[in-house]
Amino acid sequence: MLKMLHMSNGRTQVPPDGPLGKALRELAELKIVEQARDLTEQEIAEEMRKADVVITNWASTPIPLVLAEDPGELKYVLNLGGTCKATVPLELIRKGIKVTNWGDTPAQSVAEGAAALLLAVLKDLRARVEGLRDGKGGNSRKLGLASGTLMGLKLGIYGCGVIGTRFVEMMRPFKPDIIIFDPYAPKLPDGCERVDSLEALFDNSEAVAVWAGRSEETERSVTAELLAKLPDHGIIINAARGEIIDQEALFAELKSGRLRAGLDVTVADDYFPQGHEAHSWPNLLLTCHDIVSAHWPKRPPSLGYAGEIALANVKRFIAGEPLRFVMDEARYLRSS
């Protein structure tokens, strides 16, 4: 019988009596080791070599690098989250061990959140609400607001992977003019124009949504020079990683009032202490990397979409069928 193993440094991400744990136990022998931080690396490696499949997640025990040299029975790593750099060494992929992740699980909720940010910033909702609160009214002309419409908006997309593509799908009914910079996307959504550089993207955009993954190539790639190319009242939306933008340069533009922004992420996800000047800028919306949350309405316990992907991949593995959302080296390096 197939042997599966999940080793956690704390509370397990695969409770044996939970929906996913129960479903996996119907297919395989599932062993769960909690508080694996108390084990030595050698003991962890020995346990993992006995398993056909190792399950990882953010709270799981990292796979020791020595398994790339001697994986034992290990043939497949099922990562229940997105990026797996903290738990799965790249050398394991290079060894030929299959690694999958949760695929497009967060795409819908993150794209929805970014769409909400774009609309709210474009319509200057924060400034309107604050105008009413302060007795100034909510009229855009009286408040000096640049409220606009998505129809005909020159919307630039930086990165068009799974979530970026979903965001484009959501935007299309509003009829913006969409251009995309993504040198790694073999195909773009219908009706979008490809540009071959970030300079071209910012030269031809009135609003830019950042969807690139964090890497050495993309960190601080949105520079002061690029931001300066946006027109007055131009918009930056970022629900990817804060480190992709030169934050000091962006904040200088926001403090001056020239640009507007909706940021679900900041550098190191630092949302600044109470009283920080950024919280007073009416042209900035911060949502604290939480737009993926979907806590309402309450649902009965279920596998959830990520669990369905995981279970389907285990069935595919058992049947010898191709797995979905396989992490090759290029995808591994671009994931963040």
Side-chain angles (χ1 to χ4, degrees), residues 179-182 194-203 226:
I179 60 174
I180 297 174
F181 172 68
D182 188 336
R194 185 190 295 270
V195 294
D196 59 6
S197 68
L198 277 175
E199 288 74 13
L201 188 77
F202 278 79
D203 269 331
L226 290 175

Side-chain angles (χ1 to χ4, degrees), residues 14 35 49 73 85 134 139 167 250 254 272 285 293:
V14 191
Q35 304 301 334
R49 287 190 180 109
E73 298 300 316
K85 291 178 181 176
D134 298 337
N139 183 278
F167 179 76
L250 175 59
L254 295 174
F272 321 115
L285 285 177
S293 296

Side-chain angles (χ1 to χ4, degrees), residues 4-15 24 30-34 36 48 51 53-61 78 80:
M4 304 188 70
L5 172 69
H6 177 61
M7 304 186 76
S8 177
N9 283 339
R11 187 177 63 182
T12 176
Q13 297 295 306
V14 191
L24 290 175
L30 175 61
K31 182 176 181 179
I32 296 174
V33 179
E34 297 189 35
M48 290 185 174
V53 180
V54 168
I55 302 172
T56 59
N57 203 334
W58 298 288
S60 66
T61 304
L78 174 65
L80 299 177

Side-chain angles (χ1 to χ4, degrees), residues 99-330:
V99 179
T100 61
N101 73 346
W102 67 358
D104 60 356
T105 295
Q108 182 70 24
S109 56
V110 176
E112 281 179 3
L117 279 176
L118 176 55
L119 282 165
V121 173
L122 183 64
K123 302 295 184 181
D124 290 309
L125 292 190
R126 175 177 175 177
R128 289 175 183 273
V129 170
E130 292 182 354
L132 287 169
R133 180 198 64 193
D134 298 337
K136 299 176 182 178
N139 183 278
S140 59
R141 287 193 179 88
K142 290 181 179 179
L143 293 172
L145 304 179
S147 303
T149 175
L150 282 171
M151 183 175 288
L153 180 76
K154 296 177 181 178
L155 177 58
I157 308 294
Y158 177 17
C160 197
V162 171
I163 305 179
T165 298
R166 189 68 58 85
F167 179 76
V168 168
E169 292 170 353
M170 289 183 182
M171 290 294 102
R172 188 177 287 116
F174 295 97
K175 300 181 180 179
D177 296 328
I178 300 176
I179 60 174
I180 297 174
F181 172 68
D182 188 336
Y184 300 101
K187 183 181 179 182
L188 299 183
D190 292 342
C192 299
E193 177 185 347
R194 185 190 295 270
V195 294
D196 59 6
S197 68
L198 277 175
E199 288 74 13
L201 188 77
F202 278 79
D203 269 331
N204 295 283
S205 296
E206 294 162 330
V208 172
V210 177
W211 292 112
R214 180 185 176 185
S215 67
E216 291 183 3
E217 179 183 3
T218 62
E219 281 194 12
R220 295 175 66 89
S221 57
V222 177
T223 62
E225 291 75 19
L226 290 175
L227 293 170
K229 292 176 178 291
L230 291 174
D232 290 351
H233 309 297
I235 295 171
I236 289 287
I237 301 296
N238 189 6
R241 287 291 183 266
E243 287 77 7
I244 296 171
I245 298 176
D246 180 336
Q247 187 162 284
E248 290 183 7
L250 175 59
F251 277 22
E253 292 275 21
L254 295 174
K255 185 176 181 179
S256 74
R258 197 184 79 81
L259 296 182
R260 297 176 285 175
L263 306 178
D264 190 50
V265 290
T266 59
V267 172
D269 283 346
D270 174 15
Y271 295 94
F272 321 115
Q274 184 178 9
H276 190 282
E277 62 176 339
H279 294 304
S280 68
W281 300 334
N283 52 336
L284 171 63
L285 285 177
L286 286 171
T287 51
C288 300
H289 208 167
D290 198 40
I291 56 174
V292 300
S293 296
H295 303 307
W296 180 89
K298 294 290 185 182
R299 309 290 188 194
S302 67
L303 280 174
Y305 187 49
E308 291 173 0
I309 289 174
L311 186 62
N313 262 339
V314 171
K315 291 178 179 178
R316 286 170 177 265
F317 179 75
I318 292 172
E321 298 174 353
L323 303 175
R324 297 183 68 203
F325 306 116
V326 174
M327 299 287 285
D328 58 18
E329 182 169 344

